[in-house]
Amino acid sequence: MFFLASKGYRCIAHDRRGHGRSSQPWNGNEMDTYADDLLVLFETLNLKDVTMVGHSTGGGEVIRFCARHGTSRVKKAVLISAVPPVMVKKDSNPLGLPIEVFDSFRENMLKDRSQFFFDVPSGPFFGFNRPGAKVSQGLIQSWWLQGMMCGFKNAYDCVKAFSETDFTEDMKGLDIPVLLLHGDDDQVVPIDAAAKAGVKLLKKGTLKIYPGGPHALPNICEDEVNKDLLEFLES
């Protein structure tokens, strides 16, 4: 955001309900309500000609928003390491991750939430568990802080929202240009069931694969992501 704002773009980040500085309601921690919350933001700020950018779960929000509320205010979209079309493994999604993976997330969160929010960034999220990785303790602690700022119920419910929501039909109906950025070493949202499958559903989708890229592309490959975002905005 700092990079793009420095180039003259207006950049707006929202804190999803239960996250960041937003309130922590018990209910509504699912994609439809996330999208409805975004609509209120769009209407309140009267946003138009927007390029929406969503990372991971945020990519699901982008897709669900456009499917649920249309693209009259949205001209382009970017999905970075995003969860669509669907993460969990099932008959229609054999490349997905078993439900047991997400059950373990919830189990570990309930058992020791603070440790869970250290374990994820210390390992797969940033790719710090790979040989030769340059580990940033600052990024790990920042991720822990963001996790601990979430409402407990909100974070717990979000696991179901990002893993089980099926965006297949949403993606098929999208009529705007969509850029997908995804690392081929994403250990959180594996590329085959995500971007490689998703780009085939989009009418105007373009996929760029980051060789060796982890899930946290905006943190680990920031210069390349900035370059790709700027080029897409200016195209």
Side-chain angles (χ1 to χ4, degrees), residues 68-86:
R68 193 168 170 84
H69 299 296
T71 55
S72 62
R73 295 174 179 269
V74 184
K75 63 178 181 180
K76 295 179 181 179
V78 183
L79 308 180
I80 305 176
S81 311
V83 298
V86 61

Side-chain angles (χ1 to χ4, degrees), residues 66-204:
C66 293
R68 193 168 170 84
H69 299 296
T71 55
S72 62
R73 295 174 179 269
V74 184
K75 63 178 181 180
K76 295 179 181 179
V78 183
L79 308 180
I80 305 176
S81 311
V83 298
V86 61
M87 284 194 70
V88 72
K89 184 177 182 178
K90 51 185 179 178
D91 291 342
S92 60
N93 187 40
L95 296 177
L97 295 173
I99 188 67
E100 288 79 12
V101 172
F102 307 108
D103 288 341
S104 71
F105 287 178
R106 286 180 280 257
E107 180 182 341
N108 290 327
M109 201 180 294
L110 288 171
K111 181 180 179 181
D112 188 341
R113 180 175 65 140
S114 183
Q115 188 60 49
F116 174 77
F117 286 135
F118 269 123
D119 291 341
V120 175
S122 298
F125 195 87
F126 296 106
F128 290 159
N129 56 343
R130 293 309 197 202
K134 183 180 178 181
V135 177
S136 167
Q137 192 61 35
L139 279 177
I140 293 171
Q141 291 182 212
S142 174
W143 206 91
W144 173 87
L145 177 62
Q146 292 175 62
M148 293 301 289
M149 286 175 67
C150 294
F152 201 129
K153 176 68 158 52
N154 308 102
Y156 185 89
D157 287 355
C158 191
V159 175
K160 181 179 179 67
F162 74 66
S163 64
E164 297 183 41
T165 305
D166 193 331
F167 302 96
T168 301
E169 296 305 316
D170 297 354
M171 299 184 87
K172 288 180 181 179
L174 205 53
D175 58 356
I176 58 173
V178 181
L179 174 65
L180 299 90
L181 307 178
H182 216 107
D184 63 8
D185 192 33
D186 191 326
Q187 301 172 68
V188 179
V189 182
I191 191 172
D192 288 340
K196 285 186 177 180
V199 72
K200 297 176 183 178
L201 301 172
L202 294 164
K203 296 174 182 176
K204 301 177 182 179

